[in-house]
Amino acid sequence: MSGNLIPAEHAEFFWNSEPGKAPHEFVVMDIRERQKQREETGRDPSQRYNSSMGAHVIDWLTGDGPHDHPEGLFATEWVDRGTDRKTIKQALHEIGKIDRCEWARLMYSALDFYDRRSEDN
């Protein structure tokens, strides 16, 4: 997977959310690919999402707010909202597509290993 990782500076996060509920339908996109697709088709693949963060935001990777980095975004949007395990794993899997997010790949692998082991018992 390492050869196909999205550079962190080009990573965008899109999801749907409702007040008081954990985000769902989460996806990570490469801003360059999303813009290319929009130019080629006239449709933006992110249109179906009502929330976003990442490369299209001014302080992405340079600010000190929790939403300015993948770790903080994950912590505030998924961990801090009482999200179910399946949704957390899906978010970790998507964030794991980013080059500087080895932590997400490791966390996903650990949870997945534990889940598979629990199913066997």
Side-chain angles (χ1 to χ4, degrees):
M1 181 179 208
S2 62
N4 296 325
L5 296 176
I6 299 169
E9 63 271 15
H10 299 294
E12 295 182 298
F13 303 76
F14 296 96
W15 66 93
N16 286 316
S17 61
E18 300 168 42
K21 294 187 178 180
H24 57 281
E25 298 181 62
F26 176 65
V27 67
V28 171
M29 297 182 194
D30 184 320
I31 192 172
R32 300 165 301 176
E33 295 299 318
R34 183 179 64 81
Q35 290 173 339
K36 180 180 175 185
Q37 186 175 347
R38 186 182 64 211
E39 289 171 11
E40 291 174 354
T41 67
R43 294 192 56 217
D44 189 328
S46 68
Q47 281 181 311
R48 62 187 221 97
Y49 303 98
N50 64 17
S51 297
S52 66
M53 188 53 64
H56 56 276
V57 177
I58 291 174
D59 288 336
W60 181 242
L61 298 180
T62 60
D64 55 6
H67 286 119
D68 295 334
H69 301 273
E71 301 86 347
L73 182 63
F74 176 72
T76 58
E77 293 296 325
W78 282 269
V79 175
D80 198 34
R81 294 186 185 239
T83 309
D84 65 85
R85 187 181 199 88
K86 181 180 175 184
T87 303
I88 285 175
K89 283 178 63 178
Q90 194 261 337
L92 287 169
H93 184 266
E94 285 295 311
I95 294 169
K97 295 177 180 179
I98 302 169
D99 67 351
R100 290 193 242 173
C101 293
E102 179 67 17
W103 61 270
R105 293 186 290 278
L106 291 170
M107 289 177 70
Y108 176 85
S109 293
L111 290 173
D112 194 54
F113 175 81
Y114 181 78
D115 290 347
R116 284 185 283 121
R117 189 172 178 195
S118 295
E119 290 171 3
D120 291 343
N121 292 328

